[in-house]
Structure formats: structure tokens, C-alpha cells
Amino acid sequence: MKSEQQYIDLYGEAADIIKSKSCPVMNALRDTAFETFRSQGFPTRKVERYRYTDVEAAFAPNYGVSLSPLTIKPSPYIFNLKDAPEDIAALYGSVADSKDPITALNTALVHETLLVHVTRNTKVDAPITIDYWLRGEAATMMNRRILILMETGAEATIIINDHAADKQRFLSTQVIEVICRDNAHLDMYEIEETTPLCSRFSNVYIREGRDCSVKHNSITLFNGQTRNLCDVYLQGENSEVTLNGCAIASANQCIDNNTLIDHQVPNCQSTELYKYVVDDKAVGAFAGKILVEKGAQHTSSQETNANLCASPDARMYTQPMLEIYADDVKCAHGSTVGVMDEAALFYMRQRGIPETEARMLLKNAFMGQVIDQIKDEPLRARLYVKVEKRFRGELDKCEDCRLCK
């Protein structure tokens, strides 16, 4: 039996229970999303955007679906979607790609949605933090949904932490929809510290209006199998987006980042920087596409993917892409895959630095370019420490997770 059949059967058995725990705006999309998933099944490697991830294998174990209620940290900006006004709740599903099989499966099975709503001209000084904790007594599938609405003139930093605390196998699907209305400014961070037994699929969809600024940072410190997708639609003039990624993989871990930045209107700017360090028998993949549509003149875009293979058995796949239908643009892209600089290692060892320490320092410096761009100073300092511990082999579990202690 193919992997998708167990989820088709599961929906048939659990749909009524899921609907009873959900709200009308989510239930309205549920059956259509399920039909999309049933007709397509899981994407194979022949599908261009999934060529580096074996999705069916990741979903193959027999997972039980968690219907645990949302635990909402007290905040004036975080709500349950079922408590939102009708006009805001109606935005659910308006940005996500409903034809994507993972998004469709999430839409069919998720029962609650977290709403982050920053009102007009509100500047949030402290970061809005969302913590997810994976814990269970059996192989568990967690389906999560977040809707972020930044009203006109709003400014905020949002940090989403993903932790796992058990020796149990977990599968999580996550869909995040971000709507930035005119002149909104958002710094967003996804930080993963799970375990080798976790498979994580996160799809982020961002829509920007006029004069917006969005920075999305994807940071994978410890994981099992991770597949991150980030699609950005620039729909208002004079907007900009920055996508940064920091990925560290060792042992048999896999990290696949797939991005799309769609320039739909003139005078917008995008910058993209993803860096990987892959060690042991780990596999990393990056595919980033910049699409400049007809009429999107005066587009400026720079895409960079730099990768360090720290062992002979590590593998890195990179595919930066440009697709341009306008003639007055400034766009560039590039990628590098290299090994440890032996000359630098020799230089450091000649000055009394042990080889293991020298290698750690070089890896740490390589990732510094991404960490340096984090605006929130406490978060930047914390990540410097965590990245160093990761390279020293000291970050083998989610040390911040209260469930680990």
C-alpha cells in the first residue's frame, strides 16, 4: 500500500471528529483539499520542486494524528482563528498554494489555526514568540497552521521555535500564511531543534503589498529530515524581501530548502542567502527560483547559496534559478560547493590550535554571515552560542525544552 493510502483511510475515519473540533472557515476548505491530495498523492522525485526529498518514505510509518488543543501563550497579538472576526478568518487559505500536496494534506487534517494579528500602525517592541513542543507516547503526526496578518504600517518580529523532547518518531506538517498590507514590516524566524527521529515539512507563503519589508530566516540546528518551502509574492511596488537560511546537518540528516520569489510588479527588491554545512553522510539541497513577471521592470534581485561539505561522504545539491520576462532588471544568482580550506587549517594548526578546534572555528566563521544579519540582538547572541555548540557536538538535544529537563 502506498503511503498516501493510510492518510486517505485516516481522513475517512477521522474527518467528522476533526470537523467537530474545528471552525467553519477551516471546514469549508477541508473536503476540497482532501480531494486534491487524494487525486495527486504524495509528490515523487519527478516533480521538480520535490526532486531532492523522498516524501513518500518520510510519510510511510504508521502515524497517529494528534488533535491536542492549541496552547496559546498570553499575548495581545496571538489568537485562535475560531475567535477571530469573520473578515479576518476569511483570509485563511487565501495565500497558500492549495494545489501543493503537502499543503492540501495539512488543510485536510489540521483542526486549529494560530492567528497572529498586528493591528494598523502598531509597532511591537518585543519579539512575538511561538514555541512548539513535540511529545507523545507513540509515532505521532502533528499538523500545524499559522495565519499572520500585518495590517497597514504594522511592525513586528516573530520567532517560531520547533522542539522535540522524546525518543519517539514524529512527523510534522506546518503551513504558515503571511499577509503584509501596505507599509508593513516583518522579521520572521523559524528555528528547528528537533531530533533525528523527526520529519518536518514546513510551507511558508508570504504576500506583500506596497512599500513592505519582510525578512524570513530559516535556521536548522538539529533535525532528522527537514523540507522547508518558502514562496513570496511581491504584489505592491517598492517592496522588498530578504530570505536567509542557515542549515547544519551531520550523521544521516537531510535538509531541503526550496524557495520562490515572484516579482509581480515593478520597483521591488529581493535578496537571498542560504548557507549549509553538511558533515558525515548528511545530505543538503537548495533550489531557489527568482521569477520576474512581464511588466515587473526595475526589479533588483540577488540570490546566493554557499555550501561547505565537511566530509568526503557529505552531499550537497544546489539549483539557483532565474526566470525573467522583463527587460529592465538587475538580477544575479550564484552558488558554491566547497570543502574545508586546508591552507587555513594548516595555518591555524601551526599556531597551536588543535585540528578539531580549527575545523570548528572555520565552520563557525562560515555561518557567521547569516547569523550577523539577525537584527534582534538577544536572539543573535543566543544563536551564536547554539551554532558553536552544534559544531562542537554539544547540541544533541533541545536543551531549552522544558520537557528535556
Side-chain angles (χ1 to χ4, degrees), residues 96-149:
D97 179 6
S98 61
K99 296 180 180 179
D100 177 83
I102 304 301
T103 297
L105 181 62
N106 176 278
T107 303
L109 295 179
V110 70
H111 71 290
E112 288 187 289
T113 293
L114 196 68
L115 169 65
V116 181
H117 183 204
V118 183
T119 54
R120 186 183 183 93
N121 296 325
T122 298
K123 182 177 181 180
V124 184
D125 295 325
I128 300 170
T129 302
I130 300 169
D131 290 305
Y132 282 115
W133 316 90
L134 296 180
R135 190 182 188 186
E137 298 179 355
T140 303
M141 180 184 186
M142 312 286 289
N143 299 289
R144 307 189 301 237
R145 195 80 175 220
I146 302 175
L147 173 62
I148 299 173
L149 175 59

Side-chain angles (χ1 to χ4, degrees), residues 255 276 278 282-286 305 307 309 314-318 336-337:
I255 302 175
Y276 289 65
V278 286
V283 177
F286 170 81
N305 174 224
N307 310 286
C309 289
R315 295 290 180 267
M316 184 68 209
Y317 302 93
T318 178
T336 60
V337 180

Side-chain angles (χ1 to χ4, degrees), residues 312-378:
D313 295 323
R315 295 290 180 267
M316 184 68 209
Y317 302 93
T318 178
Q319 188 182 18
M321 296 169 279
L322 293 175
E323 188 173 333
I324 301 172
Y325 298 98
D327 54 14
D328 187 5
V329 301
K330 183 179 180 181
C331 300
H333 70 313
S335 67
T336 60
V337 180
V339 297
M340 195 73 72
D341 188 336
E342 294 297 330
L345 275 175
F346 179 79
Y347 179 88
M348 296 170 75
R349 294 183 67 190
Q350 286 291 94
R351 279 146 183 81
I353 301 175
E355 182 178 355
T356 302
E357 184 74 7
R359 289 182 178 275
M360 186 281 298
L361 291 172
L362 288 175
K363 293 176 187 177
N364 214 31
F366 181 76
M367 283 301 184
Q369 185 181 2
V370 177
I371 305 300
D372 282 344
Q373 296 191 40
I374 295 175
K375 291 173 60 176
D376 186 74
E377 187 173 343

Side-chain angles (χ1 to χ4, degrees), residues 234-248:
L234 297 170
Q235 298 180 336
E237 291 195 38
N238 302 311
S239 285
E240 61 180 31
V241 63
T242 300
L243 301 184
N244 290 329
C246 169
I248 304 170

Side-chain angles (χ1 to χ4, degrees), residues 43-200:
T44 68
R45 291 180 183 268
K46 293 181 180 180
V47 177
E48 182 65 25
R49 297 199 76 176
Y50 286 90
R51 64 184 299 185
Y52 301 116
T53 297
D54 189 344
V55 178
E56 186 171 339
F59 281 79
N62 188 17
Y63 291 103
V65 175
S66 172
L67 295 179
S68 300
L70 280 174
T71 301
I72 298 178
K73 183 179 180 180
S75 168
Y77 309 104
I78 301 178
F79 310 90
N80 193 315
L81 185 68
K82 66 182 181 182
D83 300 323
E86 287 187 14
D87 59 330
I88 294 177
L91 297 173
Y92 174 81
S94 64
V95 185
D97 179 6
S98 61
K99 296 180 180 179
D100 177 83
I102 304 301
T103 297
L105 181 62
N106 176 278
T107 303
L109 295 179
V110 70
H111 71 290
E112 288 187 289
T113 293
L114 196 68
L115 169 65
V116 181
H117 183 204
V118 183
T119 54
R120 186 183 183 93
N121 296 325
T122 298
K123 182 177 181 180
V124 184
D125 295 325
I128 300 170
T129 302
I130 300 169
D131 290 305
Y132 282 115
W133 316 90
L134 296 180
R135 190 182 188 186
E137 298 179 355
T140 303
M141 180 184 186
M142 312 286 289
N143 299 289
R144 307 189 301 237
R145 195 80 175 220
I146 302 175
L147 173 62
I148 299 173
L149 175 59
M150 303 289 294
E151 298 281 11
T152 300
E155 296 184 32
T157 296
I158 299 175
I159 303 172
I160 303 170
N161 296 303
D162 220 341
H163 306 286
D166 293 279
K167 296 180 180 179
Q168 200 58 256
R169 184 179 296 276
F170 290 101
L171 168 67
S172 68
T173 72
Q174 175 175 271
V175 174
I176 302 175
E177 296 180 278
V178 180
I179 300 172
C180 289
R181 291 180 170 159
D182 295 349
N183 199 34
H185 302 272
L186 172 65
D187 280 3
M188 179 177 166
Y189 301 88
E190 286 188 86
I191 304 172
E192 181 181 4
E193 294 177 78
T194 56
T195 75
L197 293 176
C198 289
S199 296
R200 179 179 184 268

Side-chain angles (χ1 to χ4, degrees), residues 258-270:
N258 192 294
T259 69
L260 166 67
I261 300 177
D262 185 355
H263 288 259
Q264 299 180 358
V265 295
N267 303 309
C268 289
Q269 179 177 333
S270 63

